[in-house]
Amino acid sequence: ELLDVTANIANLAEKADISGLEKVLTSRLTDSTDNAMTPRGTGEGAEVGGRKGGSGKPGALPLHGLEADLFVLLRSLCRLAARTIESSTSDYFVIEGKLLALGLIKHVLQFQAWDDLSKNFIQRARNLLCVMLIRNANCSIASAAVKQIEILTKIILQPRILAAMKPEAGAFMPLLMIRHLEVFSPEPHLLKAACSALGLLCSNEQLLVDLFVNYDCEMNATNIFERIIKGLCYVIVSKPTYDAATESKVKVVACKSLFWTLTALHNWFREHQGQSPGCAQGEGSGEDGASAGNGGNSGDSQLRSRGQEFLRAKNKKDSLSGGIDLFNCNPVKGMKTLIKTGVVEGTLEAQAEFLYKNQSLSKAAKGEFLGHHEENQVSVMHKYADFFDFSGMEFDEALRVYLESFRLPGEAQQIDRIMEKFADRYCTCNGETFSSADQAYMLGYAIIMLNTDIHNPLAEHMMDKTTFIGMVNQPPGEVEDGEEHQTLAEEYLAAIFDRIAANQITTSDEGDKPGGAPGAGGQAESPSTVTSPLMKVLRKALPIQQRPMGDDSASQVLTSLDKIKDLMKKNQGGAGGKVGTWNTAVNSEIAILMCGTICKHAMDIFNSLDKIKVSMDCFNVIIKCIKEAIIVTGLMDQKESCDTLVCTLSNLVGFSEANTFALALPDSMRIEAFRSLADIVLHYPDVIQGAWTHVFRCISIGQYFALQGSSDMEVMRRFDRAGYDLQCNNVMRKSTLLHFFEVEGLQLIDQIFAGSGNMNGQNIVMFVSSMCAVSREELETPIFKE
């Protein structure tokens, strides 16, 4: 049952089906609480009753005493908060009642007593909270939507509730928080609330790493941590869509959230760096969060194994994601990459199963692969068709299901191979329908021609029913004497014609259900489903690269729950942890993966500060982020990332050869960048490692600029545009940048050289080697010619 619910909720969240989410969550509520709604007795000894006969299910056990009273209170508040209010409602008391209930729920979730409540109560409370959240997902009241985000934040900050609603939390975080960071122009109050909430979550060190382990490292879960980082970075670099004051506040909040993430990761890594090297511990068998670790050497061995399991799962997930992206661009090359990385086995059956069950593959790419002429692809296509069970299905219904799983390629030979195999497969499942597979092949080809002809608005002459029947029943070119030509009943063919005319077989990527899911019967989606305002809102819960880019895009039809359940059962053993089990990370290597994720997306910000407009407050926080990232990557011995970050920070000072920043950034920002660079060198020299070359290039030019900048116009022109403009206009005043370097800048440079005496042996060797290398560069190609 837990596997069913986990698969369904994860799928519904990614496909943005609010009605489906509400149905599943409401069903869970009904199953576990409908028989427990009537209080028994009064006072402290009261119960919220269970099922007759004493069912063994945890949800059926009665609650006693204060837990019963608290449950009745929470249930009442959730019901009041879940009331649907139309946007045109002007009833003050109805609106205020809803807001009051949401505020009280938030207050209840802040209690520390949740740690002492029973597992039975946690499960029931989870269901109440989930149904309340989903029924408010499209609330038109601004303050209520903000309270929704705050309530979800409090839920996530409660370890036991979060452990109990792991799959639900993985659906609600993108739905209520992350989507506001991913869309082009979200509501400013919701964007600010989402950034603030995510900053609060990311400042919690253990929670931050646990989110990465439980979602980013699980094969069937969305990458919560990566989407948070990517969303925050998108907010910072996006072009302004509000007034300047609002935009500045939002960007500052996003920058602070990113900084808190780096700080939390830094602190967590320091705390766990000296622990057992393989350290990820699964918490709980189920949802109670009880520790599953064992003491002694056996426990250490289990932790090491568990930690490596998470690392392998994350690497496999990344390989899968990269392989799918490549497959969607180049199917043959993508499949070879997936096989090479071990994501897909090299057998024909494994390749066909991957195409059949993976929902992220482009239908056009699948069709191109299946229609390829090479022997391997043809054999995979045959195995792929064998996964479909057409027993008891009408021929046109089976063809509809088959063709909706991929886009039929355009070449006649490719279509011929695919339809020939389909006909053979249908005859295998329905042996008495046709006299031969050739007859089924002829009918399939005729249906494709009919579907193309009758639903093509540019067609001059549409195929009529008589022509269609004659095409199917025409005898082959050569019939031997005495051989009777088998024909299909005209009534049978007329019925197929009518169904195709009324309901087109769609074969494009847009609006079709994901591949390999023949459970929906090929029914067309209703217009109300496609254009529903709820669906328009919830499309934004999809990841950026998968989200439809317009309100007119048809929503994706949900795949069969049974198919998703089978896929999750297959991947359960190698997905980093058991489905529904909350895992607590203690492996320092996990922080290295997280750091790589942050650097990958944050570098887009750091390298574009000369192009994006940010306030000084925002810039100061970004500089702190760069500084913290340098420290973290240095501690983790990520030399390449650390080197890149130090180079970026030194470039912000404006003394690089490219010299783009010097002309774009104000003096105050360049000064702050140099102070941060000097602070890292003075207080964290151990993390610089091979990046000393960038430091010396910067301080060498900075020292020359401080000594010669006031008298050399060429120096001003290249590195101090403000000072150059002052001199050209005969204004006898030094620029802010030059004044800083003449006084404080030279002092910081002197402190850097003086502090080298306190370095250890390895650092002083790198310090002197880099200084000599930069000196040699300047001698060979002088920056300033006499």
Side-chain angles (χ1 to χ4, degrees):
E1 179 183 0
L2 177 61
L3 190 61
D4 289 346
V5 173
T6 302
N8 204 8
I9 291 175
N11 181 62
L12 292 171
E14 286 305 315
K15 301 308 176 189
D17 188 332
I18 191 171
S19 60
L21 271 172
E22 182 173 355
K23 181 178 179 180
V24 171
L25 296 176
T26 305
S27 174
R28 298 189 76 189
L29 173 65
T30 303
D31 290 343
S32 61
T33 61
D34 270 1
N35 292 289
M37 290 297 182
T38 306
R40 300 179 179 177
T42 58
E44 192 169 330
E47 295 181 358
V48 176
R51 303 178 188 270
K52 293 182 179 180
S55 172
K57 294 185 178 181
L61 298 176
L63 298 174
H64 302 276
L66 295 177
E67 284 193 353
D69 296 337
L70 180 58
F71 178 78
V72 172
L73 171 64
L74 184 62
R75 181 185 63 199
S76 301
L77 291 175
C78 287
R79 285 178 172 175
L80 181 59
R83 292 178 61 182
T84 302
I85 300 178
E86 300 295 335
S87 57
S88 58
T89 300
S90 59
D91 192 327
Y92 172 82
F93 295 102
V94 172
I95 296 175
E96 288 300 313
K98 183 181 186 71
L99 295 178
L100 176 62
L102 290 170
L104 290 174
I105 292 172
K106 175 186 171 183
H107 186 68
V108 169
L109 290 169
Q110 293 176 334
F111 292 159
Q112 298 297 324
W114 286 90
D115 295 336
D116 301 322
L117 295 172
S118 66
K119 176 183 175 181
N120 185 23
F121 180 89
I122 295 293
Q123 289 177 322
R124 294 187 181 187
R126 169 201 64 191
N127 299 333
L128 290 172
L129 293 168
C130 286
V131 174
M132 182 274 298
L133 287 172
I134 194 60
R135 288 181 179 171
N136 282 286
N138 195 40
C139 183
S140 59
I141 304 173
S143 53
V146 172
K147 288 183 181 296
Q148 279 272 96
I149 296 175
E150 294 173 348
I151 288 174
L152 180 58
T153 304
K154 299 302 179 184
I155 289 174
I156 296 171
L157 289 172
Q158 286 288 352
R160 297 197 63 210
I161 305 180
L162 179 60
M165 56 184 293
K166 176 179 176 179
E168 293 90 342
F172 283 123
M173 287 188 70
L175 186 66
L176 301 180
M177 289 185 184
I178 302 176
R179 70 181 176 92
H180 299 301
L181 281 62
E182 296 177 338
V183 295
F184 174 67
S185 182
E187 295 293 332
H189 63 283
L190 294 177
L191 178 58
K192 188 175 181 180
C195 290
S196 300
L198 291 172
L200 185 60
L201 299 180
C202 291
S203 61
N204 188 316
E205 302 167 10
Q206 188 62 51
L207 174 63
L208 178 70
V209 185
D210 287 350
L211 288 176
F212 180 81
V213 166
N214 286 276
Y215 297 107
D216 293 62
C217 292
E218 287 201 357
M219 190 67 68
N220 299 287
T222 186
N223 291 332
I224 293 292
F225 177 77
E226 183 171 8
R227 288 181 65 180
I228 289 174
I229 299 302
K230 192 173 182 179
L232 291 173
C233 294
Y234 178 72
V235 171
I236 297 170
V237 301
S238 60
K239 295 181 178 180
T241 54
Y242 317 113
D243 60 273
T246 302
E247 189 72 21
S248 177
K249 290 179 180 178
V250 170
K251 286 182 181 292
V252 168
V253 173
C255 289
K256 287 182 177 179
S257 298
L258 188 61
F259 173 71
W260 291 332
T261 301
L262 285 163
T263 303
L265 193 62
H266 179 191
N267 295 334
W268 189 89
F269 181 79
R270 278 188 177 276
E271 181 180 349
H272 295 81
Q273 190 174 11
Q275 295 190 11
S276 180
C279 25
Q281 178 178 352
E283 279 207 356
S285 53
E287 300 167 324
D288 58 352
S291 177
N294 298 318
N297 295 331
S298 175
D300 291 341
S301 176
Q302 183 180 6
L303 291 180
R304 281 191 292 272
S305 174
R306 196 113 176 98
Q308 293 303 317
E309 183 182 352
F310 283 110
L311 297 176
R312 287 194 300 269
K314 178 57 178 172
N315 291 332
K316 183 177 180 180
K317 189 175 184 180
D318 291 342
S319 298
L320 173 62
S321 177
I324 288 175
D325 291 341
L326 181 58
F327 182 92
N328 290 338
C329 297
N330 188 326
V332 176
K333 187 175 181 180
M335 181 62 76
K336 290 180 180 178
T337 300
L338 289 166
I339 295 173
K340 183 178 180 181
T341 55
V343 176
V344 178
E345 295 180 8
T347 63
L348 300 177
E349 292 79 4
Q351 295 179 60
E353 183 179 14
F354 177 78
L355 296 175
Y356 178 77
K357 292 185 176 181
N358 194 288
Q359 305 166 43
S360 301
L361 300 176
S362 163
K363 293 184 182 180
K366 285 176 62 176
E368 181 181 344
F369 185 89
L370 295 172
H372 207 276
H373 64 277
E374 291 186 4
E375 181 179 355
N376 178 75
Q377 282 74 47
V378 173
S379 300
V380 171
M381 183 265 292
H382 286 193
K383 295 293 183 181
Y384 176 82
D386 291 340
F387 275 98
F388 290 82
D389 184 7
F390 300 131
S391 301
M393 299 176 68
E394 293 289 345
F395 185 83
D396 57 305
E397 180 185 358
L399 181 61
R400 186 186 303 275
V401 169
Y402 187 62
L403 293 182
E404 282 182 347
S405 68
F406 62 92
R407 181 195 288 181
L408 194 66
E411 296 184 11
Q413 291 181 345
Q414 294 175 317
I415 296 175
D416 184 74
R417 287 192 296 268
I418 291 174
M419 292 308 302
E420 185 178 359
K421 175 57 186 176
F422 167 77
D424 179 75
R425 178 60 182 169
Y426 185 85
C427 291
T428 301
C429 297
N430 302 274
E432 303 298 326
T433 305
F434 298 100
S435 59
S436 66
D438 290 339
Q439 190 178 45
Y441 167 79
M442 286 294 298
L443 177 57
Y445 223 111
I447 289 176
I448 291 178
M449 295 180 64
L450 170 65
N451 184 73
T452 303
D453 186 56
I454 202 169
H455 293 288
N456 184 0
L458 301 180
E460 296 182 1
H461 303 287
M462 291 188 181
M463 184 184 300
D464 58 22
K465 189 176 298 185
T466 302
T467 304
F468 173 72
I469 296 174
M471 179 189 299
V472 176
N473 282 334
Q474 66 180 346
E478 296 182 1
V479 180
E480 296 182 2
D481 295 337
E483 181 180 354
E484 183 180 357
H485 171 57
Q486 299 290 333
T487 60
L488 296 172
E490 294 188 1
E491 295 80 5
Y492 175 76
L493 296 178
I496 291 178
F497 181 94
D498 292 337
R499 289 195 293 268
I500 298 299
N503 188 6
Q504 179 184 5
I505 297 178
T506 56
T507 59
S508 65
D509 281 330
E510 297 297 329
D512 294 341
K513 64 185 178 180
Q523 297 179 355
E525 199 172 13
S526 66
S528 61
T529 303
V530 174
T531 59
S532 167
L534 295 178
M535 292 304 300
K536 291 179 181 180
V537 170
L538 289 177
R539 285 196 189 103
K540 300 174 183 178
L542 293 171
I544 294 177
Q545 66 273 18
Q546 297 177 4
R547 187 175 62 249
M549 297 304 295
D551 288 342
D552 294 333
S553 301
S555 60
Q556 297 179 351
V557 183
L558 289 176
T559 55
S560 168
L561 175 58
D562 292 336
K563 296 298 180 182
I564 305 171
K565 180 176 65 175
D566 293 341
L567 180 60
M568 291 195 68
K569 283 181 178 179
K570 180 178 184 297
N571 291 323
Q572 181 178 356
K578 293 182 178 180
V579 176
T581 301
W582 187 259
N583 303 289
T584 298
V586 288
N587 187 346
S588 59
E589 293 182 16
I590 292 174
I592 298 177
L593 292 177
M594 298 174 66
C595 183
T597 299
I598 297 175
C599 290
K600 179 177 67 174
H601 297 295
M603 286 305 299
D604 294 337
I605 304 173
F606 304 155
N607 290 328
S608 59
L609 286 174
D610 59 333
K611 302 179 183 66
I612 61 176
K613 294 182 179 180
V614 294
S615 64
M616 189 63 199
D617 291 339
C618 185
F619 182 84
N620 286 335
V621 183
I622 292 175
I623 288 295
K624 290 182 179 179
C625 289
I626 299 177
K627 179 180 174 182
E628 193 69 25
I630 291 172
I631 297 171
V632 172
T633 52
L635 290 174
M636 295 178 179
D637 201 28
Q638 302 298 297
K639 297 180 181 180
E640 183 177 350
S641 297
C642 183
D643 185 271
T644 303
L645 289 165
V646 173
C647 180
T648 300
L649 184 56
S650 63
N651 286 342
L652 287 173
V653 180
F655 292 150
S656 65
E657 293 183 4
N659 201 27
T660 56
F661 291 106
L663 303 180
L665 295 180
D667 289 351
S668 57
M669 293 184 179
R670 296 174 62 188
I671 290 171
E672 185 62 32
F674 185 80
R675 283 174 175 160
S676 298
L677 181 63
D679 184 69
I680 293 174
V681 173
L682 291 171
H683 297 96
Y684 302 94
D686 295 345
V687 304
I688 300 297
Q689 299 182 13
W692 277 107
T693 305
H694 304 299
V695 176
F696 276 113
R697 288 175 183 149
C698 181
I699 64 176
S700 177
I701 299 177
Q703 188 177 38
Y704 188 93
F705 171 70
L707 298 174
Q708 303 294 329
S710 59
S711 59
D712 192 332
M713 291 292 289
E714 178 62 18
V715 174
M716 284 191 184
R717 186 189 67 80
R718 292 186 60 181
F719 300 111
D720 186 11
R721 179 53 61 89
Y724 181 75
D725 292 340
L726 289 173
Q727 290 291 331
C728 290
N729 294 322
N730 296 320
V731 177
M732 303 305 294
R733 179 167 56 87
K734 295 180 180 179
S735 67
T736 305
L737 183 69
L738 180 58
H739 183 269
F740 166 80
F741 271 94
E742 286 182 342
V743 183
E744 186 178 345
L746 287 176
Q747 292 176 359
L748 290 172
I749 292 172
D750 290 341
Q751 291 176 23
I752 290 173
F753 284 101
S756 62
N758 299 323
M759 297 180 184
N760 59 34
Q762 182 179 2
N763 288 333
I764 195 63
V765 169
M766 302 197 69
F767 180 91
V768 174
S769 299
S770 299
M771 182 172 59
C772 294
V774 173
S775 300
R776 188 181 303 110
E777 288 179 3
E778 294 179 353
L779 289 172
E780 294 174 354
T781 54
I783 300 176
F784 307 106
K785 296 182 180 179
E786 297 294 339

